[in-house]
Amino acid sequence: MVINGLHRGGRERRFLELIKGLTKEPGKFDIYIISLSPIVEYPIVYDLPVKFQIMAGKDKKKINRLIKMRRIIRSFKPDIIHSWDITCSGYLGISNLLLNKPVIQGVIYDASSQSPLGQSIRNRIRLLSPFSKAFVSNSQAGIRAYQPPVEKSLVIYNGIDLLRFNNLKDRETVETEILGGPKGNRFVVAMVAAFQERKDYNTFLEAAIKLCRKDPNMTFLLIGAGENLPVIKEKTPGDLLDKQIFFPGMRQDIESILQFVDIGVLMTNSTNHSEGISNTIVEYMAGGKPVIATKGGGTDELVRDGKNGFLINPLDSSILISKIETLRNDPSLAAQMGQKGRQWITDNFEIKRMTEEYINLYEKVLNKESVVLENKIMN
């Protein structure tokens, strides 16, 4: 398996969840991970029973990477090469020449083909098609957006290990750590996302300020890190900062934080991004929380509008405010949506299901069978 790096993100977490699932069957899989970046924000990789190679130092030079990858392929003799990033796929396309190991392209993880980066990925997918056995997307929207060859395309939805929601930190301790004291009568709305252009924190903050001015018990958590964090924080009124609007930073205990969150929100900047299947939304639902999210892309396959959450128009703070107030004023509806979300995840997005589908794909590739799975249209 080759990945661009183990930065904190949805794709990287899905990558590691799969490897954890595969290694639960001792002796069946021998896994060699190559990372093109020395950044490791998921140290759990060092605890896994796998070989792990970081291409740093001299190996960062293109020619050295190509030579090193080719040596690894020749010595390790993999039955399958699984690429998780389009940059990795470019290197593999050259390193694997004449060695002809079957390559699976797990490079479709959003539905943003109309952005400049998306157009570049779409063009590279076309170039890689003759040398690839399968293209895996985590959403139907991704397949529609990037249009890999139909006969090589399939969808494998994200999986989450629900055991992550057992043995959580003490709720009151986490409340005090983030809010400065017990939650009390606060109504807490959270958005967990990177502070990058593709996430719409501006609309979320606009709604947060207006609701906080109306109700002193309204509380908002903006959880994450990124280059836009200082800008968003600067826009937050001083009298609300760290009183009703909090910036906890990058957290590794989201499951524990969700214990006292009332609504999970994900606003997407639709001008330059379209989600695949968002791990953040999956986590909200697994934690039993109702969801409000920007409609479009794979989010429409995950959030069932009016059932386990609300889908809303992009860049619209007024509709976000309206939906938050609907759930605030109807605890029964919020609880029902949270319960349905949890069941939805249990039925369709559990880690065992994802692992089994990848194993099925590997076996089909090895047996030279058609990799196309039954089209998934979730109802």
Side-chain angles (χ1 to χ4, degrees):
M1 294 194 183
V2 188
I3 193 165
N4 200 41
L6 290 175
H7 313 79
R8 186 158 291 278
R11 172 183 26 167
E12 292 78 10
R13 171 161 276 185
R14 183 161 48 99
F15 168 82
L16 290 170
E17 292 281 18
L18 172 61
I19 292 174
K20 285 195 296 183
L22 294 176
T23 54
K24 286 181 179 178
E25 301 191 39
K28 186 169 183 178
F29 295 97
D30 190 8
I31 300 172
Y32 198 130
I33 299 172
I34 299 174
S35 172
L36 301 190
S37 168
I39 298 175
V40 178
E41 295 181 338
Y42 287 103
I44 189 177
V45 69
Y46 294 112
D47 299 325
L48 297 172
V50 300
K51 300 176 181 67
F52 181 45
Q53 175 80 47
I54 294 175
M55 291 199 170
K58 293 181 179 179
D59 289 338
K60 291 176 70 175
K61 294 182 179 179
K62 290 183 179 180
I63 187 64
N64 291 345
R65 280 180 173 173
L66 292 170
I67 293 171
K68 190 73 170 282
M69 278 191 187
R70 188 170 180 83
R71 285 176 180 168
I72 292 172
I73 294 170
R74 292 183 69 176
S75 62
F76 186 61
K77 299 178 181 178
D79 295 295
I80 288 173
I81 297 173
H82 190 160
S83 174
W84 289 76
D85 184 88
I86 201 72
T87 301
C88 301
S89 299
Y91 283 109
L92 287 169
I94 299 173
S95 300
N96 193 39
L97 280 175
L98 301 180
L99 299 178
N100 296 323
K101 299 297 182 181
V103 178
I104 293 173
Q105 304 287 359
V107 300
I108 303 175
Y109 42 83
D110 60 35
S112 305
S113 64
Q114 299 308 309
S115 68
L117 176 60
Q119 290 283 9
S120 175
I121 292 174
R122 187 170 177 175
N123 291 334
R124 292 191 195 184
I125 285 174
R126 290 172 181 163
L127 291 174
L128 292 168
S129 294
F131 313 102
S132 308
K133 296 298 182 183
F135 288 86
V136 183
S137 172
N138 72 341
S139 70
Q140 287 290 339
I143 296 292
R144 291 193 297 270
Y146 289 102
Q147 298 181 352
V150 174
E151 70 279 6
K152 296 181 179 182
S153 304
L154 70 155
V155 173
I156 297 180
Y157 284 117
N158 297 11
I160 186 170
D161 184 356
L162 294 175
L163 294 177
R164 285 166 45 191
F165 290 83
N166 296 343
N167 303 315
L168 300 175
K169 292 181 180 180
D170 177 69
R171 171 173 171 164
E172 290 188 5
T173 299
V174 183
E175 289 175 358
T176 300
E177 181 181 343
I178 292 178
L179 303 176
K183 175 184 177 180
N185 293 325
R186 291 178 182 266
F187 188 85
V188 180
V189 183
M191 177 163 158
V192 183
F195 282 83
Q196 297 175 350
E197 288 301 317
R198 55 196 174 90
K199 304 299 182 181
D200 183 18
Y201 268 114
N202 284 301
T203 298
F204 184 71
L205 180 62
E206 183 180 341
I209 293 170
K210 290 179 180 179
L211 284 168
C212 287
R213 294 296 186 207
K214 290 174 62 177
D215 184 347
N217 285 323
M218 290 297 303
T219 302
F220 291 80
L221 308 181
L222 290 73
I223 304 174
E227 64 268 21
N228 288 344
L229 174 56
V231 177
I232 298 298
K233 204 166 185 179
E234 183 68 24
K235 292 180 179 179
T236 305
D239 62 318
L240 297 179
L241 184 62
D242 295 332
K243 297 179 179 66
Q244 287 178 267
I245 300 177
F246 297 83
F247 293 82
M250 181 71 74
R251 303 287 301 205
Q252 299 187 29
D253 56 351
I254 297 300
E255 300 87 354
S256 294
I257 294 172
L258 287 176
Q259 291 178 103
F260 66 88
V261 168
D262 295 289
I263 302 173
V265 174
L266 183 64
M267 298 300 293
T268 301
N269 183 355
S270 60
T271 63
N272 64 13
H273 184 64
S274 184
E275 304 283 349
I277 295 296
S278 164
N279 275 339
T280 290
I281 295 178
V282 171
E283 288 170 346
Y284 292 156
M285 290 185 178
K289 307 302 173 182
V291 174
I292 302 173
T294 304
K295 67 174 61 173
T299 301
D300 295 357
E301 300 167 46
L302 184 54
V303 179
R304 318 314 291 173
D305 189 36
K307 296 180 180 179
N308 54 24
F310 292 120
L311 291 169
I312 64 174
N313 293 328
L315 310 173
D316 188 341
S317 63
S318 61
I319 189 66
L320 175 58
I321 289 171
S322 173
K323 295 304 183 184
I324 290 174
E325 290 184 324
T326 294
L327 293 171
R328 171 84 159 101
N329 297 328
D330 193 341
S332 177
L333 174 63
Q336 289 174 18
M337 284 187 167
Q339 292 166 5
K340 288 179 180 178
R342 170 76 181 193
Q343 191 61 52
W344 182 244
I345 296 304
T346 301
D347 292 343
N348 298 289
F349 293 89
E350 210 275 325
I351 186 63
K352 182 178 179 182
R353 187 271 317 152
M354 183 186 80
T355 303
E356 289 174 348
E357 290 192 13
Y358 271 108
I359 292 173
N360 184 32
L361 169 61
Y362 295 153
E363 291 175 345
K364 285 178 178 290
V365 168
L366 287 175
N367 294 328
K368 299 181 179 180
E369 300 174 8
S370 171
V371 301
V372 180
L373 298 178
E374 182 179 351
N375 214 25
K376 294 183 178 180
I377 305 292
M378 288 195 170
N379 296 311

